Amino acid sequence: MRRKFANIYRLGVKELWSLWRDPTMLFLIIFMFTFAVYSAATASPESLHRASIAIVDEDSSPLSQRIASAFYPPQFVKPVMIAPAQIDPGMDAGVYTFVLHIPSGFQRDVLAGRSAEIQLNTDATRMTQAFSGSGYIQQIVLSEVEEFRTRYRGESSLPVRLELRARFNPTLDKSWFGALSQIINHIAMLSIILTGAALIREREHGTIEHLLVMPVTPFEIMLSKVWSMGLVVLLAAFISLQLVVRGALGVPVAGSQLLFFASAALVLFATTSLGIFMATIARNMPQFGMLSVLVLLPLQMLSGGTTPRESMPEFVQNVMLVAPTTHFVQLGQAILFRGAGIDVVWPQMLAVTAIGTVFFVIALRRFRKTIASMA
């Protein structure tokens, strides 16, 4: 038994040295846990952020000035006052996403109760901002006009009032969700790629034949790849969580990091086994890359990390219960977002352990057959 553990340890160290000499994989690890996490958290295309807007004020009235002053960061940059002749050149050059044209006599028509119109020009090539921004601008303009007309700023009195309290993310900052979700997704994704690439790399370099003449078993070879690549992913995720998520982005972590990484270790046991299984099917790295696309995309999109599982068809929800990433997303979000303890997430941890055991056994059998065919 001591010899087995020694073999597993030494083979794992060999995998770490092989990874250290692979600049492509090192770059992938650094990129996914730094820039990819940061960009996913800060880039929120579904929200309006610093949209450029220009205003043509031909009325020059207190009402038009009030409307112009209602646009401010972070939704909009400071409005630029331009002349009518500058509308088309500015939008053609992509300088302005929105141009609000307030005609002469606008305030007079509003106070007189006559129909008053404002023209909003939108650059629809910026589709997401154009869609959400048009609604923002319409709401802002109507609100300012109504408050100016009634000389009152406030809410109408209703018999029922809804008090909104946001839990776990009181400022409704989307970067909190994006950053932590990327950490969860990348742990599963990168572990599959690293273990599969490690086995493919040995086959392409011919070192797998060297292992066959050594006094090691397929179980020891496979387990060495599991612990070494899993350790790399855990270390990269820990550094990313501390430096990128908590440091650069300032995102608080509600729950126990120890519990989260312990759960991640269970998930890595399953995903690394899946990576080895895929590597035994693929004959070279391009084939493994194509196979990874077919596996990673459904795991990422249907596990609940990108789209809530509740919005998916019931059949898809049931099928994805056999995926370890589905349970990892649930327990990861519960721990990091809501501060859940082991008394809450133990069913997901138990499910991940069972799935990982099945995946490891299946991958080990496939790996033994592959080794036997090469002997």
Side-chain angles (χ1 to χ4, degrees):
M1 184 63 66
R2 182 180 300 178
R3 184 177 179 180
K4 283 184 175 292
F5 281 112
N7 290 339
I8 294 172
Y9 170 75
R10 293 190 181 97
L11 289 173
V13 172
K14 178 190 72 69
E15 294 295 335
L16 295 176
W17 279 111
S18 299
L19 179 63
W20 179 255
R21 297 187 183 97
D22 192 336
T24 303
M25 286 299 170
L26 289 178
F27 175 78
L28 178 64
I29 296 171
I30 296 173
F31 174 83
M32 291 185 68
F33 281 105
T34 54
F35 180 78
V37 173
Y38 186 87
S39 61
T42 55
S44 301
E46 74 279 359
S47 63
L48 193 65
H49 183 69
R50 295 187 61 81
S52 57
I53 182 172
I55 296 178
V56 178
D57 188 3
E58 293 184 322
D59 194 32
S60 298
S61 63
L63 177 56
S64 63
Q65 295 174 9
R66 177 173 180 161
I67 293 175
S69 64
F71 299 97
Y72 46 81
Q75 286 80 17
F76 300 92
V77 298
K78 185 178 180 181
V80 180
M81 310 304 294
I82 62 175
Q86 296 176 276
I87 296 178
D88 289 341
M91 298 200 73
D92 291 341
V95 179
Y96 313 121
T97 304
F98 305 99
V99 176
L100 192 65
H101 190 175
I102 304 177
S104 177
F106 174 71
Q107 177 178 303
R108 181 180 64 249
D109 293 339
V110 169
L111 294 179
R114 294 190 294 267
S115 176
E117 296 181 352
I118 292 182
Q119 184 184 65
L120 176 62
N121 300 277
T122 303
D123 181 3
T125 59
R126 301 172 180 177
M127 186 175 60
T128 305
Q129 282 200 339
F131 178 78
S132 58
S134 298
Y136 267 81
I137 294 174
Q138 180 181 4
Q139 186 179 17
I140 290 173
V141 171
L142 293 179
S143 176
E144 294 298 329
V145 169
E146 180 64 20
E147 291 172 0
F148 181 83
R149 187 182 64 84
T150 60
R151 302 292 196 276
Y152 176 73
R153 181 186 293 271
E155 298 179 356
S156 58
S157 178
L158 297 175
V160 177
R161 182 174 180 178
L162 180 64
E163 291 288 344
L164 177 62
R165 292 183 174 87
R167 298 188 62 185
F168 314 118
N169 187 1
T171 60
L172 300 180
D173 190 346
K174 295 183 179 180
S175 66
W176 290 21
F177 177 81
L180 295 176
S181 295
Q182 286 301 309
I183 292 287
I184 295 172
N185 289 333
H186 290 341
I187 286 176
M189 185 185 307
L190 196 60
S191 60
I192 294 176
I193 295 175
L194 287 182
T195 50
L199 183 56
I200 295 291
R201 184 172 56 243
E202 286 196 1
R203 185 184 302 167
E204 292 180 343
H205 294 173
T207 55
I208 190 69
E209 285 81 2
H210 298 167
L211 293 177
L212 295 179
V213 299
M214 296 176 62
V216 293
T217 63
F219 174 81
E220 295 169 357
I221 298 174
M222 181 173 167
L223 198 58
S224 66
K225 297 182 185 299
V226 169
W227 82 257
S228 58
M229 296 300 103
L231 178 63
V232 171
V233 174
L234 281 180
L235 182 61
F238 177 78
I239 295 175
S240 178
L241 186 64
Q242 305 304 322
L243 299 184
V244 179
V245 178
R246 300 183 65 187
L249 295 172
V251 178
V253 177
S256 169
Q257 295 185 43
L258 179 62
L259 178 60
F260 171 73
F261 285 108
S263 305
L266 297 176
V267 175
L268 288 171
F269 180 66
T271 53
T272 51
S273 301
L274 179 59
I276 292 177
F277 178 80
M278 292 165 53
T280 59
I281 297 176
R283 296 183 178 180
N284 49 49
M285 193 64 75
Q287 287 187 5
F288 179 75
M290 295 295 294
L291 184 60
S292 298
V293 173
L294 298 177
V295 174
L296 292 177
L297 283 181
L299 286 180
Q300 185 173 6
M301 298 180 63
L302 302 179
S303 295
T306 304
T307 305
R309 295 184 64 246
E310 292 77 9
S311 63
M312 302 177 190
E314 186 176 355
F315 173 76
V316 176
Q317 296 184 37
N318 295 332
V319 169
M320 290 305 296
L321 289 176
V322 302
T325 51
T326 300
H327 305 281
F328 183 47
V329 168
Q330 292 179 356
L331 67 87
Q333 291 181 350
I335 295 172
L336 298 180
F337 293 159
R338 300 186 290 273
I342 193 172
D343 58 319
V344 176
V345 300
W346 71 265
Q348 288 78 26
M349 296 179 68
L350 185 61
V352 167
T353 303
I355 294 172
T357 302
V358 174
F359 278 17
F360 185 84
V361 171
I362 295 175
L364 181 59
R365 289 182 178 179
R366 175 71 186 183
F367 185 58
R368 283 174 173 166
K369 291 181 179 180
T370 304
I371 293 294
S373 64
M374 297 177 62

